[in-house]
């Protein structure tokens, strides 16, 4: 492609031809197709064949279905800026394996467009794609029979670097027994494997609210890599600070798909791979939006080498052999062999981007220190915002966001925290379609932390949807925003602890 482009440029009419070449480059790669509701492209037939083949493989084969899920347990980054590149590499290698084992050379992993339809696509209740089906339980039993021997010999083959990465996992994995215990504790069968059912495939209302188009557009509106795709840490095993994509859409789809999807063994559910393909697609939409506005698409120069050089050491190639990669290998979508069929929020990529307001990166922060208790409000009110609020509905590209730092509940498995602003009648019964509603926080990554890791999580939520709704009913805040949290435990008898540490209101 480089040669072709240079030849064309030399040939004259440079600008026009160069842009044609660029368009060609984007559309020539085979498409990852869009899946939602009952839209089931032909690639799902190949996907079913691949899943079946992977379930049948011996535990010694790195392509075995549960070996692939194990990679996520061992190595997945969350709450840091390797979240998106790591998962892109993970999906790419999985896609190669599916191509090999399905016999479909053209196979590309489809994506789940949950914004178009926030329900589990109906094909995923077919036996081959339903993790509650007996074939997954039987496959796991077969895998477990060989897993201990396999892991023992695998463990002795690990490099020093791999061993040191495992020891600093949020849940340190220090021997074969700790890995097996981690797997068994997150295995579900039958109805426990997923919350939505064929008769009621919809995600719960709070997840729906976090994936609707206006919310996704707010998440995409940020202008810096870390604001969108989570923040800098020393290694991809450190956690702490989510960007807009991980905060709302990623976590809530995991949480409300439930079962396997609620924790790190989530790749056992075949929908996991399509969920992350959609996140990968939205990263591409954000990247093209940035490029379109001549803005940065990656971290700042000072950080870029450390970012790109981060090693990802636990992938497997299409032959099942271990495959070491680096973050930098999967940053540029061109050349990875796929592109996305356009889906929800695609128009963001091409829309003209207005310049930011003068106030950009203004930050109002407040320490709160309020206990989280199920069903009760914990809040912090930030005042002096009249100038900041002037960006609401103006011509600039700037939007208001809130950044919330929490100490998560010690048992966060079935707990979420709803966020509202300026609601005078807030209670645990206030619905998520209330105009004061901002979004919901869930604790996908926090469940996998041990005591010696940072015990706080920070999320970044767009306020645009709530401010628009409040503006429409003439309740737009004049100068103060009270950020209100209501923890919700699925089981009303569960006690919730944890703490709201601080809130901000920011113009980004
Ligand atoms: Cu995920």
């Amino acid at each position: 492609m480089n040669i072709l482009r240079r030849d064309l440029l030399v040939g004259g009419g440079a600008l026009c031809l160069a842009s044609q070449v660029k368009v060609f480059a984007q559309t020539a790669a085979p498409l990852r197709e869009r899946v939602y509701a009952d839209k089931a492209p032909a690639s799902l037939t190949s996907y079913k064949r691949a899943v079946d083949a992977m379930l049948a493989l011996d535990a010694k084969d790195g392509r075995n279905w549960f070996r692939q899920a194990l990679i996520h347990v061992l190595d997945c980054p969350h709450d840091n800026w390797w979240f998106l590149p790591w998962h892109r590499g993970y999906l790419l290698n999985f896609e190669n394996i599916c191509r090999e084992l399905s016999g479909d050379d053209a196979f590309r992993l489809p994506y789940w467009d949950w914004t178009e339809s926030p329900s589990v696509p109906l094909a995923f209740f077919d036996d081959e794609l339903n993790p509650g089906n007996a074939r997954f339980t039987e496959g796991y039993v077969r895998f477990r029979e060989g897993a201990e021997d396999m892991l023992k010999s695998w463990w002795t083959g690990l490099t020093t670097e791999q061993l040191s990465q495992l020891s600093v996992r949020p849940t340190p994995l220090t021997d074969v027994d700790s890995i097996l215990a981690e797997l068994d504790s997150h295995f579900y069968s039958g109805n426990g494997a997923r919350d939505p059912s064929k008769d009621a495939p919809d995600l719960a209302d709070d997840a729906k609210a976090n994936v609707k188009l206006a919310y996704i557009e707010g998440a995409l509106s940020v202008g810096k890599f870390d604001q969108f795709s989570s923040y800098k840490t020393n290694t991809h095993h450190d956690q702490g600070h989510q960007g807009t994509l991980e905060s709302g859409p990623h976590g809530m789809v995991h949480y409300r798909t439930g079962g396997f999807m609620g924790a790190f063994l989530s790749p056992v559910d075949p929908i996991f791979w399509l969920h992350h393909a959609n996140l990968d697609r939205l990263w591409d939409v954000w990247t093209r939006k940035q490029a379109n506005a001549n803005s940065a698409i990656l971290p700042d120069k000072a950080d870029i080498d450390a970012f790109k050089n981060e090693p990802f050491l636990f992938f497997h190639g299409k032959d099942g052999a271990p495959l070491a990669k680096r973050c930098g290998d999967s940053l540029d979508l061109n050349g990875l062999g796929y592109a996305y069929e356009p889906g929800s929020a695609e128009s963001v990529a091409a829309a003209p981007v207005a310049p930011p307001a003068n106030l950009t990166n203004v930050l109002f922060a407040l320490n709160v220190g309020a206990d989280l208790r199920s069903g009760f409000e914990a809040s912090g009110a930030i005042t002096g915002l009249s100038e900041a609020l002037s960006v609401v509905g103006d011509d600039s590209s700037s939007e208001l966001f809130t950044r919330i730092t929490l100490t998560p509940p010690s048992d966060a498995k079935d707990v979420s925290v709803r966020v509202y602003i300026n609601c005078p009648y807030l209670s645990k019964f206030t619905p998520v379609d209330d105009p004061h509603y901002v979004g919901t926080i869930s604790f996908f990554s926090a469940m996998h932390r041990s005591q010696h890791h940072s015990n706080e999580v920070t999320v970044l939520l767009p306020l645009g949807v709530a401010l628009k709704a409040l503006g429409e009913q003439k309740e737009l805040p004049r100068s103060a925003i009270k950020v209100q949290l209501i923890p919700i435990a699925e089981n009303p008898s569960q006690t919730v602890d944890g703490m709201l540490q601080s809130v901000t209101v920011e113009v980004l």
Side-chain angles (χ1 to χ4, degrees):
M1 186 47 71
N2 281 336
I3 294 168
L4 178 60
R5 180 177 293 162
R6 195 174 60 229
D7 287 353
L8 287 168
L9 287 170
V10 170
L15 263 180
C16 166
L17 282 170
S19 65
Q20 280 171 9
V21 170
K22 204 169 155 202
V23 170
F24 175 73
Q26 272 171 9
T27 53
L31 294 180
R32 286 185 172 178
E33 295 171 311
R34 187 183 189 206
V35 174
Y36 58 88
D38 61 357
K39 182 177 183 288
S43 51
L44 284 182
T45 309
S46 299
Y47 188 43
K48 287 177 178 177
R49 270 205 309 281
V51 175
D52 253 352
M54 292 164 87
L55 280 168
L57 287 174
D58 193 276
K60 289 198 197 86
D61 194 315
R63 302 170 298 179
N64 170 286
W65 185 252
F66 302 99
R67 289 289 300 275
Q68 285 294 302
L70 176 63
I71 297 170
H72 194 259
V73 176
L74 298 174
D75 200 38
C76 66
H78 288 89
D79 298 9
N80 66 55
W81 67 9
W82 287 289
F83 165 65
L84 286 172
W86 186 91
H87 283 86
R88 176 173 283 175
Y90 185 40
L91 263 59
L92 192 65
N93 289 303
F94 175 79
E95 184 180 68
N96 283 335
I97 293 169
C98 288
R99 199 148 50 230
E100 185 78 7
L101 294 178
S102 67
D104 176 0
D105 288 344
F107 177 79
R108 295 295 181 279
L109 187 67
Y111 71 90
W112 173 18
D113 191 341
W114 19 248
T115 299
E116 179 66 30
S117 179
S119 60
V120 173
L122 291 179
F124 284 76
F125 297 103
D126 295 350
D127 290 351
E128 300 92 332
L129 301 179
N130 180 359
N133 184 270
R135 68 186 65 209
F136 287 84
T137 321
E138 288 161 12
Y140 187 65
V141 170
R142 276 196 308 276
F143 166 79
R144 276 299 266 113
E145 280 165 8
E148 195 165 344
D149 285 347
M150 175 276 291
L151 283 172
K152 277 180 179 156
S153 76
W154 170 83
W155 187 270
T156 57
L158 292 176
T159 64
T160 318
E161 201 178 6
Q162 283 177 311
L163 285 169
S164 93
Q165 289 201 356
L166 292 180
S167 71
V168 297
R169 286 292 295 153
T171 310
L173 298 167
T174 50
D175 53 29
V176 167
D177 287 344
S178 65
I179 294 175
L180 291 171
E182 180 78 1
L183 291 179
D184 290 346
S185 70
H186 293 292
F187 195 87
Y188 302 90
S189 59
N191 291 336
R194 205 193 262 156
D195 289 350
S197 63
K198 189 168 188 176
D199 295 332
D202 282 13
L203 299 176
D205 286 349
D206 49 8
K208 282 184 184 172
N210 272 30
V211 300
K212 67 181 185 186
L213 187 59
Y215 190 97
I216 298 296
E217 286 173 347
L220 286 163
S221 73
V222 292
K224 292 228 163 96
F225 182 79
D226 51 6
Q227 293 166 351
F228 179 67
S229 75
S230 302
Y231 283 76
K232 179 184 175 182
T233 51
N234 287 329
T235 78
H236 73 277
H237 301 293
D238 299 321
Q239 297 184 340
H241 198 155
Q242 302 177 357
T244 54
L245 190 66
E246 201 175 356
S247 294
H250 168 258
M252 285 307 287
V253 172
H254 270 289
Y255 183 62
R256 289 306 188 184
T257 305
F260 285 106
M261 280 286 276
F264 277 13
L265 206 49
S266 41
V268 171
D269 188 336
I271 198 68
F272 165 91
W273 304 90
L274 281 78
H275 171 42
H276 267 274
N278 196 34
L279 297 163
D280 187 60
R281 178 184 69 86
L282 289 171
W283 177 21
D284 178 50
V285 169
W286 181 85
T287 301
R288 285 184 283 125
K289 176 209 79 166
Q290 292 290 107
N292 192 32
N294 285 321
S295 300
I297 59 173
L298 290 173
D300 293 341
K301 263 207 183 90
D303 292 318
I304 194 71
D305 287 345
F307 176 72
K308 285 185 173 175
N309 286 333
E310 180 72 4
F312 302 154
L313 302 176
F314 292 92
F315 296 147
H316 291 272
K318 65 178 178 181
D319 55 358
L323 194 65
K325 290 282 179 186
R326 287 187 188 276
C327 166
D329 295 334
S330 52
L331 293 176
D332 184 1
L333 206 60
N334 293 313
L336 293 185
Y338 67 88
Y340 284 102
E341 178 184 350
S344 296
E346 173 63 26
S347 62
V348 170
V353 179
N358 292 332
L359 301 155
T360 299
N361 291 320
V362 176
L363 177 150
F364 301 84
L366 182 72
N367 281 323
V368 181
D371 287 338
L372 297 180
R373 281 190 301 147
S374 183
F376 290 91
E377 177 180 333
S379 59
I382 294 180
T383 55
L385 293 173
S386 43
E387 207 188 351
L389 279 159
S390 69
V391 306
V392 179
D394 73 358
D395 292 339
S396 77
S397 62
S398 300
E399 303 269 358
L400 285 175
F401 291 79
T402 183
R403 203 181 296 262
I404 300 169
T405 298
L406 301 167
T407 304
S410 41
D411 181 3
K413 185 176 178 306
D414 294 311
V415 179
S416 58
V417 175
R418 292 189 182 161
V419 181
Y420 298 78
I421 51 171
N422 293 17
C423 183
Y425 47 77
L426 186 64
S427 81
K428 63 181 173 184
F429 303 110
T430 309
V432 297
D433 59 1
D434 185 277
H436 303 89
Y437 175 74
V438 172
T440 301
I441 303 164
S442 58
F443 300 99
F444 182 74
S445 53
M447 287 192 304
H448 293 266
R449 290 188 196 178
S450 67
Q451 299 310 334
H452 74 267
H453 273 77
S454 152
N455 206 20
E456 287 181 356
V457 60
T458 300
V459 298
L460 182 62
L461 306 177
L463 292 175
V465 173
L467 289 170
K468 181 159 184 277
L470 291 174
E472 276 165 8
Q473 54 180 44
K474 308 262 180 281
E475 270 187 60
L476 192 68
R478 293 220 174 84
S479 73
I481 290 182
K482 186 181 188 187
V483 180
Q484 301 159 295
L485 276 60
I486 294 262
I488 305 283
E490 292 304 304
N491 176 352
S493 66
Q494 183 182 344
T495 38
V496 173
D497 55 4
M499 191 170 263
L500 168 59
Q501 298 290 0
S502 63
V503 294
T504 73
V505 169
E506 299 174 43
V507 184
L508 298 176

